[in-house]
Each structure stands twice: as structure tokens, then as C-alpha cells.
Amino acid sequence: MPTALLEVSGVTVRFGGITALDRISFDVMSGSIAGLIGPNGAGKTTLFNCLSRLYTFSEGTIRFEGALLTDFAAHKIAALGIGRTFQNLALFRTMSVLDNVMVGGHCQTRTGFLSNALRLPWVRREERDLRERATEAIGLLDLQSVAHRPVSDLPFGTQKRVELARALLSRPKLLLLDEPASGLNHEEVDTLRQLLSRIRHELKLTILLVEHHMNLVMRVSDQVVALDFGRKIADGTPAQVQANPDVIRAYLGDAA
Ligand code: ATP
């Protein structure tokens, strides 16, 4: 029987007079792809920031594999099994693709400053293991041919794949993707769609993505959650959400 990997229950976030999230509840099933949609300012990024513990919420609970997220510090979230990418790329532009991807695994290494400086045998072992895993992720995302190129040399769509490869290195169970299709051309969006389906199956991942690109969300997701002005207005299959009158109104206005 499918179980919920993520359980969001009654989450509320206020910024001064603005209620950015108003008692939001939904579950994401293990192994599924869930899309989070909504017009600008709906609260999508705020929710993502709650999931990665960048924001604290005033009410509600978020459970990951049954455990309360608030019991863990923000810097423990990656080690817990939640990986993410950002709306604006957060890569080291002058570093190579391989080095950028390897950065993603450092939350799991034990090396400190001193052991690194002394190049102890287990430090070298960890580094070798990290390099192997990075090479694997690079292969999975078809980045072999550019592995040693600096990131700044690469087209935007390829850089976004580098960020995805890096997020995979922490071996997440849940991957949070913040607008992975933004800035991509038609062909790159199609490649991304195939990649997401592939990594979900091959790595048995659960994915939650915030995305404005409706075609991508509706084709790749098993479940879509729609927000508007901080409230949840729909939660269901892509077909159900697309046909929901509140969703149509939120996107097209009252004229719809
Ligand atoms: P977009 O699609 O434009 O990225 P969004 O759905 O991600 O929008 P949020 O960025 O989560 O929306 O914003 C939700 C509401 O909360 C907006 O009214 C926004 O102005 C407000 N907000 C978000 N972050 C902050 C903050 N740090 N301080 C004050 N208000 C904020």
C-alpha cells in the first residue's frame, strides 16, 4: 500500500500582515511526482522554504517519513533525505561540473579541516567514493562530455542539469525542484521531463516541483496541488486540477 513520504498539515506562515500560507495541508506519496502550482505570490516558494527549514512556520506540522521536520535543524535537512535546487542557479561558476556536483555530497562526509589537511587514509577513501558517486550522477544526467568544463562555459539548460546532479549526490529520498524549467527552451523542457521520469524510476525518488510551465507539470506529475493567495484551491490528478473552476479562475481571472 502506498505511504505518504511527506505530510503537510495546517501549515501557516505570516509575514507582518500578509498570510503567505493559510492552513495548507497535503500529502505526497512515496515514489510519486507532485507538482505545486499557483499564480505569482501564491505561496509556493514560501512552502518550499518551510520544507527545507529556511522559514519557520507559526502553525501546523510537516512530517517526513513520519518524523517532525521541526525536530531537525536546517543544516540537518539534506542528511535527513531532502534535497533541493533553487529558482536561481546556485553553482560555483568557475569550478568544473564534476567539482560542482561533488559539493552536493559533502553533507555526508565526516572530514573536518584537520583531517583534510593531513590527507588521512579515510579522507582519501571518502573523496574517492564521492568522486565515483558524482561521476555516476553525471552519467545519469548525460553530462559526461562536459564533466571537466567550467560551469560558466555551458548553456543555461546544461547548467540546470548540473544543479540537478548536485542535488542527487546527497542521495535524497525527496527532491524539491524550484522552477526547474524556467529559462529553458522547448527542447530542453522535453529533455528535462524525460530526465525527471527517469531519475524517479532509477533512483526511486519522490519529487515535489514548483513550476509555472503547465505543460511540464501536467505531463510529469502524478498529483498536482494548486495554491492561490496562500490557500490550497485544488489537490488531485493533473486532469482533475486542470478542470477545477477555482484553478481556472485563479489563472484566467473572473472572466473565465
Ligand atoms: P512566484 O511564483 O512569484 O515565485 P510564489 O508562489 O513562490 O510566487 P511566495 O514567494 O511564496 O509566492 O510569496 C507568497 C507571499 O508572501 C507574497 O505575497 C510575498 O510577497 C510574501 N513573501 C514571501 N517571502 C516574504 C518575506 N521574506 N518577507 C515578506 N513577505 C514575503
Side-chain angles (χ1 to χ4, degrees), residues 151-180:
V151 158
S152 56
D153 273 8
L154 305 173
F156 187 68
T158 313
Q159 293 189 17
K160 291 204 100 161
R161 289 217 305 279
V162 176
E163 215 198 4
L164 198 52
R166 183 173 64 184
L168 292 180
L169 221 67
S170 62
R171 295 185 171 132
K173 293 171 190 155
L174 174 68
L175 186 59
L176 306 173
L177 303 178
D178 199 351
E179 299 198 20

Side-chain angles (χ1 to χ4, degrees), residues 90-111:
L91 294 168
F92 298 102
R93 296 182 54 74
T94 55
M95 276 165 50
S96 73
V97 167
L98 179 64
D99 286 339
N100 265 285
V101 174
M102 282 175 70
V103 168
H106 278 297
C107 71
Q108 288 169 326
T109 57
R110 293 174 300 152
T111 51

Side-chain angles (χ1 to χ4, degrees), residues 16-254:
I18 296 170
T19 305
L21 292 177
D22 189 1
R23 292 162 295 165
I24 298 297
S25 301
F26 65 93
D27 289 350
V28 177
M29 292 296 143
S30 203
S32 68
I33 299 185
L36 188 59
I37 63 166
N40 290 335
K44 305 178 297 294
T45 305
T46 304
L47 184 61
F48 254 39
N49 286 340
C50 290
L51 293 172
S52 42
R53 296 279 287 117
L54 294 176
Y55 286 174
T56 346
F57 36 97
S58 50
E59 286 160 40
T61 56
I62 301 179
R63 286 180 186 276
F64 177 71
E65 293 191 301
L68 282 175
L69 267 198
T70 36
D71 286 347
F72 299 87
H75 69 275
K76 294 279 184 212
I77 293 299
L80 198 63
I82 302 181
R84 78 171 283 179
T85 63
F86 290 84
Q87 207 167 326
N88 302 310
L89 287 173
L91 294 168
F92 298 102
R93 296 182 54 74
T94 55
M95 276 165 50
S96 73
V97 167
L98 179 64
D99 286 339
N100 265 285
V101 174
M102 282 175 70
V103 168
H106 278 297
C107 71
Q108 288 169 326
T109 57
R110 293 174 300 152
T111 51
F113 173 75
L114 191 63
S115 46
N116 250 324
L118 297 173
R119 302 289 298 156
L120 297 175
W122 58 267
V123 174
R124 289 202 299 271
R125 227 173 15 248
E126 264 189 351
E127 173 109 4
R128 204 168 50 232
D129 176 53
L130 199 58
R131 188 172 291 269
E132 262 169 35
R133 281 167 45 209
T135 308
E136 226 172 89
I138 283 172
L140 196 63
L141 295 187
D142 293 331
L143 291 163
Q144 300 93 321
S145 60
V146 294
H148 300 287
R149 298 257 301 275
V151 158
S152 56
D153 273 8
L154 305 173
F156 187 68
T158 313
Q159 293 189 17
K160 291 204 100 161
R161 289 217 305 279
V162 176
E163 215 198 4
L164 198 52
R166 183 173 64 184
L168 292 180
L169 221 67
S170 62
R171 295 185 171 132
K173 293 171 190 155
L174 174 68
L175 186 59
L176 306 173
L177 303 178
D178 199 351
E179 299 198 20
S182 76
L184 300 189
N185 63 34
H186 189 70
E187 203 179 308
E188 288 170 332
V189 173
D190 211 47
T191 307
L192 174 69
R193 183 178 58 74
Q194 292 168 22
L195 272 176
L196 293 182
S197 301
R198 196 164 96 208
I199 59 174
R200 179 257 287 260
H201 284 299
E202 289 191 16
L203 305 176
K204 303 203 177 356
L205 271 179
T206 305
I207 298 175
L208 177 63
L209 76 153
V210 162
E211 191 47 74
H212 282 290
H213 198 293
M214 281 304 141
N215 192 288
L216 173 69
V217 181
M218 297 301 172
R219 285 187 69 186
V220 85
S221 308
D222 304 297
Q223 170 196 6
V224 176
V225 175
L227 304 181
D228 191 26
F229 292 115
R231 284 175 303 111
K232 185 174 92 170
I233 55 171
D235 183 354
T237 62
Q240 286 167 339
V241 171
Q242 264 174 309
N244 183 303
D246 289 335
V247 174
I248 297 169
R249 206 171 300 120
Y251 277 96
L252 299 178
D254 279 335

